[in-house]
Amino acid sequence: MRYLTRMTAASLWLVCAVGMAAIPDDPLESPQWDSMVAKHLGEDAEIVFDDRVRVLSAGYAEDAMETPVMVEAPDLPDVESVVVFADLNPITKILEYYPERAAPTLSFRFKIQQATPVRAAMRTADGVWHVGGMWIEAAGGGCTAPSVAAGSPIWESRLGEISGKAWARGPERERLRFRVVHPMDTGLAAGIPVFHITDVTLATPAGETLARLKPFEPVSENPVISVNLRYRGPVALSGRDNNGNRFAATLPAPAAP
């Protein structure tokens, strides 16, 4: 019986070991890399570090509440989803992006708490995660500071206000930049509950989805996000936040180049 028990335990270990993909060594040498894989990509995920996936930002965050970053992989085909995360932030996931009729390129601003690797992981149609990233130095405090809106008596009247502009990039291409008025509170500032946008959908006026985003708490207040669409024309933008508030607007087509 003891022999069978030992065999069973060994067999289970072998099954688990075979079922788990090897985690590649982290070129950024983050102490949290293995936990980031488990949390955001999955322990059985196939992962490769890929120079085609680029995270572009200044090496130092001058404003911890508004750190600009761009992620892109123009030469990586068949990208189905993008996850952006910061290993050492108290809330690590920054956003998810699903570029259905868009390029795997977007830019935005986020809150940074301390020096941290910031990464973009892009999953292609074959299920492989392609990862790129960089270290950003920071004095810190961005995630635990209250939003400007938290101290303003008029922000509620503008909640969900949308503005945007598009630029033509070819017959069936446009670059779209949009802004949504929202405090994007992380819940980490004393006395201020978490309050953030959870979903944004970009679609044609006929309802065909162009791209979807899931912003998380670290995205900066009044988020400004830019995407490259494989489409040219008016864009219907809709979204909601974690309190059930909904917002929508139609952004005009770009002018002819």
Side-chain angles (χ1 to χ4, degrees), residues 15-24 34-48 123 126-129:
V15 169
C16 290
V18 171
M20 293 177 62
I23 298 176
D34 286 3
S35 64
M36 291 299 97
V37 171
K39 185 174 184 179
H40 299 306
L41 309 182
E43 292 181 345
D44 60 345
E46 184 177 351
I47 301 166
V48 296
R123 184 169 57 82
D126 58 4
V128 176
W129 286 100

Side-chain angles (χ1 to χ4, degrees), residues 21 27 40 140 145 153 157 168 199 212 222 226 252 255:
H40 299 306
S157 64
D199 298 277
R212 295 182 295 116
N222 302 327
S226 298

Side-chain angles (χ1 to χ4, degrees), residues 157-244:
S157 64
R158 298 187 61 200
L159 181 70
E161 181 180 289
I162 298 169
S163 57
K165 184 176 181 179
W167 293 265
R169 290 292 184 265
E172 295 295 329
R173 298 285 190 275
E174 70 179 64
R175 180 166 178 80
L176 176 69
R177 180 186 301 155
F178 64 89
R179 176 178 183 261
V180 182
V181 174
H182 201 286
M184 298 297 290
D185 289 309
T186 63
L188 300 179
I192 302 174
V194 60
F195 185 37
H196 69 99
I197 298 169
T198 59
D199 298 277
V200 175
T201 298
L202 306 175
T204 68
E208 181 184 357
T209 299
L210 300 170
R212 295 182 295 116
L213 296 107
K214 295 179 71 66
F216 291 86
E217 296 95 316
V219 172
S220 292
E221 179 178 5
N222 302 327
V224 177
I225 299 174
S226 298
V227 297
N228 290 352
L229 301 176
R230 293 176 177 139
Y231 160 85
R232 184 170 160 193
V235 174
L237 187 156
S238 61
R240 62 181 179 179
D241 64 26
N242 67 314
N243 278 9

Side-chain angles (χ1 to χ4, degrees), residues 55-146:
V55 176
L56 307 174
S57 184
Y60 183 83
E62 295 181 350
D63 184 347
M65 298 285 286
E66 297 273 352
T67 303
V69 67
M70 179 178 181
V71 302
E72 63 173 7
D75 301 320
L76 182 63
D78 303 322
V79 174
E80 294 185 342
S81 63
V82 179
V83 179
V84 182
F85 54 93
D87 294 23
L88 303 180
N89 258 9
I91 302 172
T92 55
K93 186 181 285 188
I94 301 171
L95 60 77
E96 296 175 4
Y97 181 47
Y98 301 89
E100 298 187 23
R101 282 186 61 187
T105 299
L106 72 159
S107 59
F108 56 92
R109 294 174 183 263
F110 76 103
K111 311 177 192 85
I112 189 169
Q113 187 68 16
Q114 63 181 49
T116 180
V118 177
R119 308 182 195 264
M122 302 193 181
R123 184 169 57 82
T124 47
D126 58 4
V128 176
W129 286 100
H130 301 256
V131 181
M134 66 174 290
W135 274 90
I136 299 179
E137 299 293 329
C143 293
T144 52

